[in-house]
Amino acid sequence: MLEIKNLHVKLEEEDKQILKGVNLTVEAGKVHAIMGPNGSGKSTLSYVLSGKDGYEVTEGTATLGDVDLLGIAPEERAAAGLFLAFQYPVEILGVGNMTFLRTAVNSLRKARGQDEMSSTEFLRVVREKAKSLKIDADMLKRPVNVGFSGGEKKRNEILQMAMLEPKMCILDETDSGLDVDAMKLVADGVNALRDAGRGFLVITHYQRLLDHIKPDVVHIMSDGRIIKTGGPELALEVEHNGYSDLIEEEA
Amino acid sequence: MALPQLKQNATEARIAALDLPTGGWSAAARGDALARLRATGLPGARDEYWKYTRPETLTSAAPKPAVVFTPDETPLFDGIDRLKIVFVDGVFDTDASDDLSLDGVEIARLADSADIHWARDLYGTLETAGQSPVPRPLATLNTAFATDGLLIRVTGKLSKPIAIRYEHRNDKSDAMMHHVVKVEQGGDVTILENGPAAARFNQVIEVDVADGAGFHHVRAQGRDHERRAATHIFARLGAESTFKTFTLTANGVLTRNEVVVELTGDDAMAHIAGACLGDGDFHHDDTVFITHDAVNCESRQVFKKVLRNGATGVFQGKILVQPGAQKTDGYQISQSLLLDGDSQFLAKPELEIYADDVACSHGSTSGAIDDEGLFYLRARGLPRGIAEDLLTIAFIAEAVMEIDSQELQDEINSRVEAWLMRRRDQ
């Protein structure tokens, strides 16, 4: 589903290479995790895949199904089925969460050649999905992410994920700033979305999120490359021994 | 001191083009205003207070014509239960207006000859007080020559807003209107204004808010591109009173909105907010002067300007804290969202403080659409244009949120969205 080949990326503004040849394939139905120390390039990978400005791809490709992701705008990537759950969701004053969700859903449906969702249908679906994430009517009415706690913001990200029906979900350090209960709620939301047609790439520092979202494959990233790939046991190894052994092993 | 000859000539030319209403209860105030106007002269391009905005088209003997614009939408506030009053090119429209009676308020017209005793004490009084330390001669001109306006005395909490609609039907109309609003103790009023009023509009509103009373004002200045307007609000606030005003300006070739507020009673609150949307030939000036002359008062100024295609925004805002006005809480923010490199924002924030126990802050910024927000929205599938519109709404939200009523906030937001939508993908 998601196929990244030999991806090299540098910062646009300065001559600094961040990704130095990333190779990664996430199959439909699978959950891949990327772990790695700070500055290894994990978040950059998520931004480059979803089309944030400021990065220059110097080599390599990234495709989702048969769509070349790197050549198109962020909204086109979303329409192709890519979803990024942000580490720091942006607050948007004056725009109701509901209005935002509805605009997003219908923009994507339009881009995908589907009819707009009627307001009754939209309300029904959003209420149902919000309920399972413990998002109440007030949170749906409030301006997007404004005054939300860390946990509320992340739950709101998962609600968007559920509403936008992506094929490929990237979670960028979704566990940061969450207590155990909030993390469990978010993980349950993600697990509910797991199905045979959907791939996940879970970026995290810590193994603990992976207790709740069980990965099929774990990758260790360091200095802009994936240096080791294994099963869930690799995450446990990191938890016990840290990254340094693995990095030394690679060197 | 004698006026410079050019200024004197311009002032006399303007006066000569007008008829001074004579007789009646306002005659003394009008005569006084005319004398004051002759002493100060109309604003000129060299006046410091008019450094960023050229006054010539506001002071000329005849107005520049403005093509009449017919919006293809229901007028703002039409969906709201209200007392409706309509003026067409500054002339009262009896047929289109509701009966001017409502519990808790007396409404009369300036043009009527009836002797309105309470208004006699106020008409021109707050305007005169607001001439110091900076003269505002267009308001003085208005006090002398205003042809009509509303005299509103509020004695209770009104069940619905008073909504004034100004229609512009004559491309050469030159309207001068003067409202006086007196909110008595325990009174509370919401006044809505909508529309361009005329090709050129000179408006003064004098507002006297008694102890514990409330005045709420929401205004939209109409979509006519070529209209010009100079407005003044002069307010005097008693103890524990509330004064809130918000103005939306979308379009208009030239607008100068001045608000002069004096907080004279303890624990009073004044919020002055505005949002403008300018595209192309658009010059918009907010000039505000707040005087804190009592203890523990709060004032907020929140101005947001969205500018594109060479539009210009101006903000001159001053907070003056008088000796003894301790515990003053003064806040002032003016920001512009520049949607391209051709547009400009000129800001002159000022604080002058003569008390030692006060908290005053001011800030002014100019910037482009927020990149982080834009990426977030586009990553959710919103096309760039729609994402930029939502971020524009987010930008002005702080000003719109100064309106207490959610219903009125929604009304204003609907017009902002419509304005943005009309420009999308252009």
Side-chain angles (χ1 to χ4, degrees), chain A residues 14 22-23 34 102 119 125 133 142 146-147 151 157-159 178 185-186 196 199 245 249:
Chain A
E14 46 186 302
V22 174
N23 288 290
I34 295 189
R102 203 167 155 209
S119 11
V125 177
L133 286 159
R142 271 150 62 190
V146 177
E157 290 294 286
I158 307 306
L159 175 63
L178 295 190
L185 201 55
V186 166
D245 289 0
E249 203 177 297

Side-chain angles (χ1 to χ4, degrees), chain A residues 52 75 84 93 145 157 160, chain B residues 372 375-376 378 380-381 394:
Chain A
K52 192 176 187 184
E75 57 269 35
L84 170 65
L93 203 67
N145 294 323
E157 290 294 286
Q160 293 164 31
Chain B
E372 294 289 324
F375 173 58
Y376 185 64
R378 295 177 75 193
R380 294 294 173 262

Side-chain angles (χ1 to χ4, degrees), chain A residues 112-169:
Chain A
R112 291 170 185 166
Q114 299 162 319
D115 286 338
E116 286 201 353
M117 213 186 250
S118 73
S119 11
T120 358
E121 172 71 357
F122 174 79
L123 272 178
R124 191 186 63 74
V125 177
V126 85
R127 281 191 185 134
E128 179 195 304
K129 294 187 192 292
K131 199 176 165 195
S132 63
L133 286 159
K134 297 203 167 104
I135 291 175
D136 60 17
D138 181 55
M139 251 179 87
L140 288 173
K141 243 173 83 180
R142 271 150 62 190
V144 183
N145 294 323
V146 177
F148 285 25
S149 71
E152 286 174 334
K153 282 183 182 167
K154 297 300 168 75
R155 267 146 60 201
N156 204 28
E157 290 294 286
I158 307 306
L159 175 63
Q160 293 164 31
M161 188 189 280
M163 291 300 298
L164 299 181
E165 301 179 338
K167 287 185 203 155
M168 179 69 219
C169 307

